Amino acid sequence: MPRYFAIAVVLTLIGLAVIGKALYIMTAKKQYWTEVASRLKRDSVSVKPGRGNILSCDGQLMASSIPEYKIYMDFQAGSDDTTWVRKRDSLWTEKIDSICFELNQIFPSRTVAEFKSNLEEGRHKVMKNGKVGARHWAIWPRRIDYNTFCEVRTLPFFNMPIYRSGFHWEEFNSRRRPFGSLAQRTIGDMFGAKDSAKYGLELSFDSILRGTNGMMHRRKVLNKYMDIPVLNPIDGADVVTTIDVGMQDLAEHAVIDELKEINGEMGVAILMEVKTGDIKAIVNMERGSDGGYHEMVNRAISFRCEPGSVFKVASFLVALDDGVVDTSYVIHTGSGVMEMHGRPMKDHNWRRGGYQDINVARALEVSSNIGVSYVIDKFYGSNPTKYVQGLYRVGIHEDLKIPLVGYQPPYIRMPDTKTTDRAKYWSKTTLPWMSIGYETQIAPINTVSFYNAIANNGKMMKPRFVKQLVKDGQVIREFEPEVLKERIAKPQTIKTMQTILEHVVSQGLGRKAGSRSFKVAGKTGTAQVADQYGSYHSGTTRYWLSFAGYFPADNPRYTCIVCLKKSGLPASGGGMSGVVFHRISEGVMAQHLKLSVDDARDEKSSFTPDVKTGDTEAAGYVMSSLGLKGQRTNAPKTSRDIIPNVVGMGARDAVYQLESRGVKARVRGRGKVKSQSIFAGTAVKQGMMCELVMER
């Protein structure tokens, strides 16, 4: 029994020792062995996929991912090999100065001494007696691109294997926009540190662009790490937008140039394709603290404000569609001031005597406040609900359900005289002022969609920002053009409004938006807007200037709205926003200009120019210089005793032909000869004077 007892005691002591050692490892040495294990094995290591690209409508990169790196030192790498640790310390002491010098050449903003101090600090954090030291010490505090990373990897000591030198890195996907800030608020951006989307299409299509993470196991075998794939990552799909880079650049420059010209605070422009609803350009410029103009907020979809006179088109479209008036209905506007339920309604020219008697069509052409508000108040004053329902019917109130975070649908309230909320209370003056663009809240994207429906013969299209989702060159989803309303008004009403909008530009207040090359239709708007305190009368008055229209008016291809916000006078929607519209429309149409087939020539074939009758010596010199000797003129020779036909000649040749016959020539105008005062074939007489009328 004593021997059994002794054995039991020994085994008990051994068991207690094992348990004690286990408790010691689990508590006091837990961190140390956890790090050892993490160096040898890592299960379920996440593998990030490549983020998809965002492309323009013609396939140009607008946002793409490129790798970026953060670089670190592990000053405990290889600590289990005592011999190597001594050798590494010796090598580090020998190379530290050259390493810091080379780092300074790559990152000049930090001196050699600063690099050395930083690295030595990290190294000295390694404690003796096996305690934890610096395993993830940052060499450079920010991310670096791939080329810079490759330079760092070639430096002494850093070019050794990771488990030997301790130099290691962390890879990130960084978002870059090849066209810089072009359409920045619409394309979107990323939070670099979190690798998450901020706004725009990057945020709206984040789940599609992001892809799916993969997984792998990592093992340390013979002092080398081996990755064992478990689940391959799935890269994100590419998003093909409707944005046209050329049109976007054109629109941005047009808006910025005008903002600088008028010292404006903010500018918005949207260019929309009539048939499809594709947004070809969307501009959101705002003056920053540096005085320059930048895209800060997507005001085109989120800035819900009183639209001003561009809203008058919706008011008259309702009245014309309901048949309460026609374009010949005459309105007596008087001298430009009319009392509306106790408040004065004024036309913009009231100081010059107003417009007197005008019809409905002319009221829109000259943007008469009295003309519009009188008609709406007269025919809908007893039933304002019918008017607001008409606005809903014509689509100005439509929720467009735009796939961009921040979109604000229109706010057009229904009549309610029982509410105690002043913002919702419906008074007798609400209807006339609503009819001219006040007491409503509409973002520019809704206004341009409404005008696009008029251009599209009454069919309202949903604004389209994305055309396709593409993966590995294959289209995985197509976003077809979407019709929101098949018809916003009767066909005849739409035709009538199209004619009126053409006249607004050709003979109304929108002349500066017009073009000599093609027809333009649209409407101007100038509205007084509240300041940041919600007041219309504190300090300098702020104006919301707009022009909404489409071009070419006889075969609409694009609808465009331009809105500018500025303080103080002068302020003119037609004279300021209309100018930007003109520049955009001219530039867009120039991009689509097709030259005549007669201008196309085979570059390899010789083209011999026609030589007209004139100074044959000068013409002969030119022809010989071109290597075209022997070329004859294409006009028959005339006698020296009769007046030649000089119509179509330049001034120099025409004068030469006449004065070589003793006839004096007088030239009027520039260009080529359009007519001559003495008919060709008349006998030459002494003292004759022939007047030549020139025209370009």
Side-chain angles (χ1 to χ4, degrees), residues 23 27 34 107 128 216 236 238 332 415 424 490 519 554 575 581 688:
L23 290 172
T27 55
T34 299
F107 308 104
K128 297 181 180 180
M216 67 180 180
D238 295 339
H332 181 67
K424 297 181 179 179
K490 298 170 187 173
K519 290 182 180 180
D554 48 0
F581 183 98
M688 271 187 167

Side-chain angles (χ1 to χ4, degrees), residues 562-583:
V562 177
C563 302
L564 306 173
K565 186 180 180 183
K566 76 178 295 286
S567 299
L569 295 172
S572 167
M576 294 175 179
S577 295
V579 169
V580 180
F581 183 98
H582 167 79
R583 292 171 184 163

Side-chain angles (χ1 to χ4, degrees), residues 268-270 282-284 297-303 407 443-446:
V268 168
I270 307 172
I282 179 168
V283 181
N284 300 276
V297 180
N298 200 332
R299 303 288 186 181
I301 66 169
S302 64
F303 190 69
Y407 167 64
I445 189 72
N446 281 88

